[in-house]
């Protein structure tokens, strides 16, 4: 048996000591390394190797020049380009399109004359401050990518719009329509057409969605739903794709005879703070920054897509559903409860603000205050001074969840988060006049309904029985437990409740069933 101490005693000394002989067996060279350590030679050797490696590191990524020009070249921000670099592995498993949103310095991507916004003030001064961020934030959200997937692995992905493909000599993904399209970098190293190019890409998305719907309908295999999905805090593009596939896949696996052929629109966005050397400390401190970004995202690109694409679906046979998780739910709610404020290509006309609707918003463990649904006269509105007029005016139905297993949203010092089960108790159980319709998920059933007194289109659900496990590589207890079959069944329960038009129906009275059911209804 090999015994290190005995061998080291027999190491050679003199001129040959410390020389690694590649002709020797591996065990011999291991012994030589041990001798190097003893002779204090290994540290200088490793230092030299490190310096040589750095000096020769002139091999660059295919989009490196574009990334450097846009300021999206850090270890963190490059994670939002993974779908572009790896189109055969980072891909959507269902028919659909992915919209990539990023942030770059305002002086790099802002139009020469700035952007136009319209806000009527109805959602409070707190939201006006968020609108101001669209004009004043040192970094600006812009649409950089629009990719399409056929839903089968053998179908190659293609790019409808990519600022990386359009400005690079390297190509990793083919164009959908003959040539790569995207805003261009000018001689000064700026991309002033980035914002307007994104607005035009939304119109390409709108046209392609309707075209795809028409094609499938003519083939007698129509889509039943258009699903738009937005994920939450600290989600890379790779993880977002995985999450899109999980949510839709679990819905397909559990639809229980319901007709379900979705066309998927996924939105990826910079939901983590851009810092390499302080991570993960910075992630913990990035809450307010990313909360603001989520609201900006809802007021701009998510709101724009909801209005221009989902609300424009030209058939009554297709359900339009907008799903958001955590900060994604915040963006989705801001988009549909307050509406987009950006303008361009005729988009954002003040006269059109109330003229659009989507069918259903599903807000999973929302990371925003429940006080947004109340006015200052209703009491505690000091947290944000944001109020959604008429509840959620651009959605026919809204379903939002809370779970006692979610520790990420238990932050009442910052805001009374909707995902916190204590808020469900206060607003659904400990009141004689709940503002929302209320219910509890038990197994696959939505039970314990109470009719809301104010918002006829909002259902607030205690989902502790479904959202209860920790998802690998995540914090916050059960905050991210939305990627199992139980979650697919839960979302289907919501959609069936909406389809049957009985959000406020008391299908079972509160307290019905076993003691265990009553305890779970109360979140105990």
């Amino acid at each position: 048996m090999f015994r290190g101490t005995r061998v080291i005693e027999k190491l050679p000394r003199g001129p040959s000591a410390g020389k690694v002989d590649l002709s020797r067996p591996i065990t011999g060279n291991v012994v030589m390394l041990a001798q190097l350590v003893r002779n204090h030679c290994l540290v200088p050797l490793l230092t030299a190797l490190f310096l040589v490696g750095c000096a020769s590191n002139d091999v660059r990524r295919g989009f490196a020049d574009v990334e450097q020009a846009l300021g999206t070249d850090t270890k963190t921000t490059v994670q939002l380009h993974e779908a572009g670099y790896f189109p055969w592995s980072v891909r959507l498993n269902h028919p659909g399109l992915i919209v990539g949103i990023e942030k770059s310095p305002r002086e790099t991507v802002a139009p020469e004359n700035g952007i136009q916004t319209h806000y009527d003030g109805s959602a409070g001064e707190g939201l006006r401050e968020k609108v101001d961020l669209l004009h004043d934030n040192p970094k600006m959200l812009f649409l950089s990518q629009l990719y399409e997937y056929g839903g089968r692995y053998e179908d190659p992905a293609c790019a409808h719009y990519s600022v990386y493909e359009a400005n690079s000599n390297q190509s990793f993904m083919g164009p959908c329509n003959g040539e790569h399209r995207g805003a261009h970098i000018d001689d000064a190293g700026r991309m002033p057409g980035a914002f307007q190019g994104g607005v035009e890409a939304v119109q390409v998305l709108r046209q392609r969605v309707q075209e795809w719907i028409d094609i499938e309908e003519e083939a007698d295999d129509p889509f039943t739903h258009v699903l738009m999905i937005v994920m939450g805090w600290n989600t890379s593009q790779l993880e977002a794709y995985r999450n899109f596939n999980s949510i839709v896949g679990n819905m397909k696996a559990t639809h229980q005879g319901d007709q379900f052929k979705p066309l998927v629109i996924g939105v990826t966005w910079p939901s983590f703070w851009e810092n390499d050397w302080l991570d993960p400390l910075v992630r913990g401190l990035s809450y307010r920054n990313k909360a603001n970004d989520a609201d900006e995202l809802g007021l701009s690109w998510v709101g724009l897509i909801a209005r221009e694409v989902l609300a424009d679906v030209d058939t009554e046979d297709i359900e339009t559903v907008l799903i958001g998780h955590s900060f994604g739910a915040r963006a989705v709610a801001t988009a549909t409860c307050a509406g987009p404020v950006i303008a361009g290509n005729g988009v954002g006309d003040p006269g059109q603000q109330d003229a659009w609707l989507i069918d259903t918003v599903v807000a999973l463990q929302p990371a925003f205050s429940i006080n947004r649904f109340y006015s200052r006269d209703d009491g505690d509105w000091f947290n944000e001074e944001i109020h959604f007029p008429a509840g959620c005016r651009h959605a026919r139905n809204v379903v939002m969840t809370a779970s006692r297993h979610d520790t990420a949203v238990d932050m009442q010092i910052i805001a009374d988060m909707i995902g916190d089960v204590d808020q469900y108790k206060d607003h659904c159980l400990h009141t004689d006049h709940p503002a929302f319709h209320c219910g509890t998920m038990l197994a696959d059933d939505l039970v314990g309904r109470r009719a809301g007194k104010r918002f006829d289109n909002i259902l607030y659900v205690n989902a502790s029985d479904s959202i209860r496990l920790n998802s690998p590589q995540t914090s916050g207890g059960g905050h991210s437990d939305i990627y199992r079959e139980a979650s697919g069944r839960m979302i289907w329960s919501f959609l069936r409740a909406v389809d049957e038009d009985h959000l406020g129906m008391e299908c079972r009275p509160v307290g019905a069933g076993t003691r265990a059911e009553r305890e779970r209804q109360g979140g105990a």
Side-chain angles (χ1 to χ4, degrees):
M1 182 178 291
F2 178 85
R3 297 184 183 276
T5 53
R6 292 185 180 179
V7 175
I8 289 177
E9 288 174 358
K10 298 179 180 180
L11 288 173
R13 300 180 183 276
S16 63
K19 294 183 180 179
V20 177
D21 184 359
L22 295 179
S23 67
R24 299 183 60 175
I26 266 188
T27 53
N29 282 327
V30 169
V31 170
M32 288 288 94
L33 287 175
Q35 178 67 30
L36 286 172
V37 172
R38 199 170 81 168
N39 292 345
H40 307 289
C41 297
L42 189 59
V43 171
L45 174 63
L46 291 178
T47 302
L49 289 172
F50 175 77
L51 293 175
V52 169
C54 290
S56 62
N57 188 22
D58 57 354
V59 179
R60 294 162 58 81
R61 291 184 302 273
F63 297 146
D65 291 340
V66 189
E67 292 164 343
Q68 186 174 3
L70 294 174
T72 60
D73 57 339
T74 69
K75 182 179 73 175
T76 301
T77 53
V78 166
Q79 294 180 51
L80 291 171
H81 313 152
E82 291 171 318
Y85 278 120
F86 309 109
W88 283 104
S89 56
V90 184
R91 56 190 291 114
L92 197 60
N93 294 340
H94 315 280
L97 302 104
I98 297 293
V99 178
I101 307 296
E102 296 189 74
K103 289 184 79 173
S104 283
R106 179 171 296 276
E107 62 269 18
T108 301
V109 296
E112 297 291 347
N113 298 323
I115 65 171
Q116 297 178 344
T117 60
H118 170 79
Y119 174 57
D120 61 13
S122 62
E125 288 304 306
L127 197 67
R128 188 181 299 280
E129 294 176 5
K130 309 284 187 178
V131 175
D132 289 343
L133 288 174
L134 292 172
H135 297 276
D136 304 330
N137 200 321
K139 289 194 172 182
M140 181 177 177
L141 291 169
F142 72 104
L143 192 158
S144 63
Q145 305 152 73
L146 175 59
Y147 301 141
E148 180 178 316
Y149 302 87
R152 300 177 304 172
Y153 186 77
E154 59 267 28
D155 296 332
C158 67
H160 284 284
Y161 182 90
S162 170
V163 297
Y164 298 101
E165 293 280 0
N167 288 276
S168 175
N169 293 326
Q170 301 295 324
S171 180
F172 295 85
M173 182 186 298
C176 295
N177 296 295
E179 62 179 359
H180 283 295
R181 291 187 286 184
H184 288 280
I185 298 172
D186 62 17
D187 293 338
R190 298 178 62 253
M191 190 181 285
F195 181 84
Q196 187 63 24
V199 171
E200 293 171 3
V202 171
Q203 300 307 311
V204 171
L205 174 63
R206 179 184 63 81
Q207 294 166 8
R208 178 55 183 149
V209 166
Q210 190 59 55
E211 177 185 52
W212 209 339
I213 288 172
D214 293 341
I215 290 172
E216 296 301 298
E217 188 171 357
E218 290 176 6
D220 201 25
D221 188 20
F223 289 114
T224 60
H225 296 73
V226 175
L227 300 182
M228 180 174 167
I229 311 174
V230 187
M231 305 317 304
W233 195 12
N234 289 335
T235 304
S236 68
Q237 191 173 63
L238 174 64
E239 187 179 359
Y241 271 75
R242 185 191 72 194
N243 295 346
F244 300 151
N245 288 328
S246 295
I247 290 172
V248 180
N250 285 318
M251 291 181 68
K252 285 185 174 181
T254 59
H255 62 83
Q256 298 177 348
D258 298 280
Q259 293 294 318
F260 186 55
K261 181 185 175 181
L263 178 59
V264 181
I265 301 172
V267 177
T268 69
W269 63 287
S271 60
F272 34 63
W273 217 354
E274 300 167 17
N275 191 295
D276 294 337
W277 61 281
L278 285 179
D279 183 74
L281 174 63
V282 165
R283 291 191 179 192
L285 300 175
S286 68
Y287 169 82
R288 186 161 298 281
N289 178 283
K290 292 297 111 181
N292 285 335
D293 281 356
D295 283 321
E296 287 183 62
L297 186 68
L299 290 170
S300 57
W301 300 106
V302 169
L304 192 63
I305 295 168
R307 187 174 76 193
E308 293 298 295
V309 181
L310 269 68
D312 195 56
V313 170
D314 187 21
T315 175
E316 296 181 357
D317 297 326
I318 293 181
E319 297 278 337
T320 51
V321 181
L322 188 44
I323 300 174
H325 171 246
S326 187
F327 275 164
R330 186 188 189 109
V332 162
T334 301
T336 55
C337 300
V341 299
I342 63 173
N345 279 8
V347 175
D349 180 354
Q352 298 296 318
Q353 287 295 312
D354 296 314
W356 64 278
L357 280 171
I358 66 168
D359 291 316
T360 304
V361 167
V362 178
L364 301 170
Q365 298 309 108
F368 67 91
S369 174
I370 198 167
N371 293 316
R372 289 190 174 192
F373 289 106
Y374 297 95
S375 69
R376 188 186 298 274
D377 297 334
D378 292 316
D380 182 11
W381 195 28
F382 74 91
N383 281 324
E384 298 177 286
E385 292 193 2
I386 293 175
H387 171 53
F388 293 148
C392 199
R393 59 184 177 180
H394 298 303
R396 291 185 176 91
N397 300 283
V398 177
V399 184
M400 50 195 193
T401 67
S403 171
R404 72 177 184 272
H405 306 291
D406 186 341
T407 59
V409 291
D410 183 14
M411 47 199 319
Q412 296 182 14
I413 295 177
I414 297 176
D416 298 328
M417 298 293 188
I418 292 171
D420 182 2
V421 78
D422 287 338
Q423 299 307 317
Y424 175 86
K425 292 178 183 179
D426 289 345
H427 293 270
C428 283
L429 300 182
H430 302 162
T431 177
D432 294 329
H433 302 284
F436 317 99
H437 300 315
C438 299
T440 299
M441 282 300 303
L442 293 179
D444 298 341
D445 296 325
L446 186 56
V447 304
R449 299 286 190 82
R450 298 188 69 190
K453 306 299 182 183
R454 179 182 299 188
F455 302 118
D456 192 49
N457 67 331
I458 301 179
L459 173 63
Y460 195 7
V461 178
N462 178 357
S464 299
D465 201 54
S466 299
I467 300 175
R468 58 186 177 83
L469 302 178
N470 178 254
S471 186
Q473 305 299 316
T474 68
S475 57
H479 182 66
S480 297
D481 185 24
I482 61 168
Y483 307 116
R484 298 183 295 117
E485 284 195 4
S487 305
R489 288 192 293 269
M490 178 180 68
I491 295 173
W492 265 115
S493 295
F494 299 160
L495 297 183
R496 278 195 293 270
V498 166
D499 187 53
E500 295 165 12
D501 197 24
H502 63 265
L503 282 184
M505 240 173 131
E506 297 205 20
C507 53
R508 287 176 65 184
V510 174
T514 66
R515 178 180 177 182
E517 285 182 342
R518 291 196 298 272
E519 289 176 348
R520 285 187 288 183
Q521 285 175 2

